[in-house]
Amino acid sequence: MKESVTRVEKIKIERAQRFKEKPSLDGIPFGTYFSDHMFLMDYDEGRGWHDPRVVPFANFELSPAAAVFHYAQEIFEGMKAYRSPKGDVLLFRPAENAKRLNSSAERLCIPQLPEEYFMEGLKALIGLDRDWVPSIPDTSLYIRPFIIATSAQLGVHASAQYLFAIITCPVGSYYPEGLNPVRILIESDDVRAVRGGTGYTKCGGNYAASIRAGQRAENQGYSQVLWLDGIDRRHIEEVGSMNVMFLIGGKVVTPALTGSVLPGITRKSCLDLLRDWGYEIEERALTVDELVAAAENGALGEAWGTGTAAVISPIGEITYRGSVSIIGGGKIGALTRKLYDTLTGIQWGKTEDKFAWSVKVC
Ligand code: COI
């Protein structure tokens, strides 16, 4: 085993003996084909985080009693590595992901992970698997850091042991529609998260709770659901697994971060860009009645989702209790397009990065 040096503990590197063939990304489902290596690190109560290592991608061996399987003590992040025209590999605001992982960890009673391990682990893994960062337009290497509770215990308590892992996979578009506006069903029954719960964290449970409504919507020909709040089911929260924004009467309106909404890094970046472009932003409660009325009286000009996987996803149609409203003639709006072009331009190193969001890894 060869060692690379970090400011914390040395990361051990064990190279794969055989390298996998790189897949064609044409039509490959999101997140199904993984690179040659993964980063791992263990936590034991009394010892802390230890043994950072990059090893060949392989299955885990865990006790069937591991706490993650029973009580979902688990958190994750989503980020991407982009190939610039010069051939450099760039990350987008990775320190924000490290911070959010620790905010999720705090809520799920998972020990804090020193940010240096997050950053150095990413660099070591992506440095070794740099050939996996694709260079075809609109493709990237999706990165999935996660922490799972590994103690073999069925009592409902915080685990004493954890595993931090980073895996990566080359990806194209998240939605098959790409940048074509999607049809969205406003969900009136299921809720994704509630205030006081875990909605502001990236924990697997939030996504598990979202699958049924997403599946029902897909069966009716919609791409995703628009989530309403869990108390009176009137206030808009998110769309699918993304944050959501609306251009209403020339102002950008987005649900405020009140605890049940994920503080998205793409959300934050869009708001920074929009402010820089002189837009008035309203982070506030927005009711479904106000949204539908704005769609009907023409005040709703554009609507889009924001997230790491799809970046920007235009919304062309919303259905609420059987009544359909078309947004922006069902076409992508000028502001949605400008946000997509600017953000992806910065991410792929093609547009001026005035906020210094891009971080070169190798
Ligand atoms: C994102 O786009 O940020 C997501 O969370 C999607 C991911 C769960 C695949």
Side-chain angles (χ1 to χ4, degrees), residues 63-79:
S63 164
V68 63
F69 296 139
H70 305 275
Y71 309 123
Q73 206 191 355
E74 183 270 353
I75 52 174
F76 69 94
E77 275 300 316
M79 49 203 304

Side-chain angles (χ1 to χ4, degrees), residues 75 101-112 200:
I75 52 174
L101 185 78
N102 275 333
S103 157
S104 301
E106 193 279 327
R107 178 64 182 83
L108 276 283
C109 285
I110 291 172
Q112 296 288 294
Y200 69 93

Side-chain angles (χ1 to χ4, degrees), residues 30 76 78 100 142 144 174 202 207 241-242 262 266 306-311:
F30 184 91
F76 69 94
R100 189 173 59 187
Y142 185 77
R144 172 53 60 87
Y174 184 69
K202 238 172 146 56
Y207 295 78
S241 58
M242 310 178 89
L262 186 82
T266 313
T306 71
T308 300
V311 191

Side-chain angles (χ1 to χ4, degrees), residues 170-183:
V171 294
S173 292
Y174 184 69
Y175 288 119
E177 293 90 340
L179 250 197
N180 291 325
V182 293
R183 298 176 64 223

Side-chain angles (χ1 to χ4, degrees), residues 86-117:
K86 284 193 286 180
D88 295 337
V89 175
L90 308 172
L91 294 177
F92 184 72
R93 311 188 78 175
E96 296 290 334
N97 295 93
K99 276 196 214 111
R100 189 173 59 187
L101 185 78
N102 275 333
S103 157
S104 301
E106 193 279 327
R107 178 64 182 83
L108 276 283
C109 285
I110 291 172
Q112 296 288 294
L113 179 83
E115 284 183 23
E116 290 87 339
Y117 283 129

Side-chain angles (χ1 to χ4, degrees), residues 148-202:
I148 55 172
T150 53
S151 287
Q153 62 170 50
L154 297 183
V156 184
H157 300 289
S159 175
Q161 293 160 319
Y162 297 87
L163 178 71
F164 170 51
I166 311 176
I167 56 175
T168 72
C169 48
V171 294
S173 292
Y174 184 69
Y175 288 119
E177 293 90 340
L179 250 197
N180 291 325
V182 293
R183 298 176 64 223
I184 296 294
L185 180 65
I186 301 184
E187 171 63 41
S188 317
D189 296 319
D190 286 4
V191 295
R192 170 194 164 270
V194 291
R195 217 166 294 170
T198 54
Y200 69 93
T201 73
K202 238 172 146 56

